[in-house]
Amino acid sequence: MGRQLDALIDAAQKPHVSIRVVPASAGEHACMDGAFVILSFAAKLDPDVVYLEGMGGEIYVEDVGQVRRCNVRFDHLCDQALSEDDSMALIAEIAREYQHSNEPPH
């Protein structure tokens, strides 16, 4: 797990990557019923699309109202999440704790 946490820290250094943690103290959050991906395109003619994946397979949602609802849910999730800096500090702290707990005895 330590390497996975380190990989997240490394990934967050890339300019196109943003990692934010929703702490357990936030309680229930807007996306507890499943993950989704909002695909946005540079061309104004191409509307946003939401990608959902579940046991029933993959679904692409193009309905403007449903896409808008997913954008609102994402905004609520961002409101509950730690900042990028605080998220990286938390991940680094957990990585350090994990590394110390797995050190061989001296």
Side-chain angles (χ1 to χ4, degrees), residues 7-72:
L8 287 173
I9 293 168
D10 290 343
Q13 304 308 310
K14 297 178 181 175
H16 64 282
V17 175
S18 172
I19 297 175
R20 307 226 358 234
V21 174
V22 178
S25 62
E28 290 188 19
H29 59 76
C31 298
M32 288 192 71
D33 60 345
F36 58 89
V37 177
I38 301 171
L39 305 168
S40 297
F41 305 97
K44 297 291 182 193
L45 298 175
D46 296 324
D48 289 355
V49 175
V50 174
Y51 171 77
L52 302 167
E53 186 175 313
M55 290 178 52
E58 303 87 26
I59 300 171
Y60 289 91
V61 178
E62 298 178 9
D63 177 75
V64 174
Q66 290 181 359
V67 171
R68 187 176 306 119
R69 282 190 288 281
C70 287
N71 276 303
V72 168

Side-chain angles (χ1 to χ4, degrees), residues 1 3 15 42 44 46 52 84-85:
M1 181 159 142
R3 283 189 275 175
K44 297 291 182 193
D46 296 324
L52 302 167
E84 288 182 51
D85 289 340

